[in-house]
Amino acid sequence: MTTLTVPAPRAVPTPLATNLAFIGRSVKHSLREVDALLMAIALPVMLMLVFTYVFGGAIETGGDYINYVVPGIILTCAGFGASSTAVSVNTDMTEGIINRFRTMPLQASAVITGHAIASLLRNLVATGIVFVVGLLIGFRPSAGPLGWLAAFGVIALYILAITWIFAVLGLLARSPGAASGYGFGLLFLPYVSSAFVPVDTMPSWLRAFAEHQPLTPINETIRGLLMNLPLGNQPWWALGWCLVILIAGYLWGRWLFPRRLAH
């Protein structure tokens, strides 16, 4: 008499294990794409050098221009670094790997979280390098330990928020090339804020936009924390904007992911 052996059911990985696995996958991909990481670092550093040594002498900020411009360079660095997330997400969506993940007993949408967290880690490394270069060319922050910790928290929160927006753009795009172009406008937001010049030097119509867009309070908060400047209510606006962008991007991405798979 033949005895049939029923295979044991495969263990279903926990959501935490799934997310950690996809984070590890995205980090490995980032380490292999050295050229993209170098460009995400080199471009903001070049901008900092250009603005400091070419334009800095003509821009009046009430102090050393390098101390004024570094927070804006950090936000610019975050934008360029996060933009690669759109391409990575779209590549996964269009090359069929997501369909393979869906056949496994795991939460396929965790791949988006993996890209977002890997982007956060990658951008924090790039931000650290920008800080070092800034110190070498004269950046002199006066923050204490709490100021540094708070500034780091705001920077990390902004990076995570903008990364989720780029992840959504990667889901919306139909090709990696389109994904790289969709977020192009977001990369220019730092230039229309207080990142590089005081907003009161702008025309009235442009100043109104610069004062009320998200990057101005975020930039002013980072600058105030690092340079021990009066903050007013800017941190509350910065925190509010970061949370709104992060929550909106996360919920939009979770809503869009299964609908994108259905097409």
Side-chain angles (χ1 to χ4, degrees):
M1 184 174 182
T2 303
T3 302
L4 296 177
T5 302
V6 179
R10 290 183 296 176
V12 178
T14 64
L16 177 61
T18 302
N19 281 286
L20 289 176
F22 280 117
I23 290 170
R25 169 181 178 265
S26 296
V27 169
K28 290 178 182 178
H29 286 181
S30 296
L31 294 176
R32 293 170 185 168
E33 298 172 353
V34 180
D35 52 345
L37 180 60
L38 290 177
M39 283 302 299
I41 298 170
L43 187 54
V45 168
M46 290 173 61
L47 282 174
M48 180 164 56
L49 296 176
V50 168
F51 272 92
T52 300
Y53 293 116
V54 177
F55 304 123
I59 300 174
E60 180 57 46
T61 61
D64 290 338
Y65 184 67
I66 183 65
N67 291 330
Y68 182 91
V69 79
V70 165
I73 295 296
I74 292 170
L75 296 182
T76 305
C77 177
F80 279 111
S83 64
S84 63
T85 304
V87 177
S88 299
V89 168
N90 187 267
T91 299
D92 278 349
M93 298 298 297
T94 56
E95 292 190 352
I97 189 66
I98 296 295
N99 291 327
R100 295 180 60 187
F101 292 149
R102 293 174 69 193
T103 65
M104 303 177 185
L106 49 78
Q107 184 183 16
S109 62
V111 68
I112 311 299
T113 303
H115 284 301
I117 301 301
S119 175
L120 171 63
L121 298 176
R122 184 172 61 245
N123 274 290
L124 289 176
V125 172
T127 298
I129 295 174
V130 169
F131 264 121
V132 170
V133 175
L135 291 171
L136 291 176
I137 63 174
F139 178 50
R140 295 296 179 264
S142 54
L146 289 179
W148 276 100
L149 184 62
F152 176 83
V154 174
I155 292 168
L157 184 60
Y158 171 73
I159 292 173
L160 190 59
I162 195 68
T163 296
W164 269 104
I165 294 300
F166 276 107
V168 169
L169 294 178
L171 290 172
L172 288 171
R174 296 298 175 181
S175 68
S180 66
Y182 277 8
F184 198 65
L186 294 176
L187 301 180
F188 281 90
L189 282 179
Y191 301 99
V192 194
S193 70
S194 64
F196 297 100
V197 297
V199 295
D200 55 13
T201 64
M202 300 178 183
S204 57
W205 59 270
L206 186 58
R207 177 179 176 179
F209 173 78
E211 288 179 336
H212 296 94
Q213 65 126 316
L215 267 68
T216 291
I218 296 171
N219 181 75
E220 290 298 315
T221 298
I222 297 171
R223 181 185 294 132
L225 290 169
L226 292 177
M227 304 306 301
N228 269 333
L229 299 174
L231 292 171
N233 61 355
Q234 295 288 8
W236 296 111
W237 281 105
L239 182 62
W241 273 116
C242 286
L243 290 176
V244 166
I245 295 170
L246 174 59
I247 294 171
Y250 176 78
L251 294 178
W252 192 6
R254 293 299 298 267
W255 177 84
L256 185 61
F257 181 78
R259 288 159 179 79
R260 180 70 170 82
L261 291 177
H263 287 80

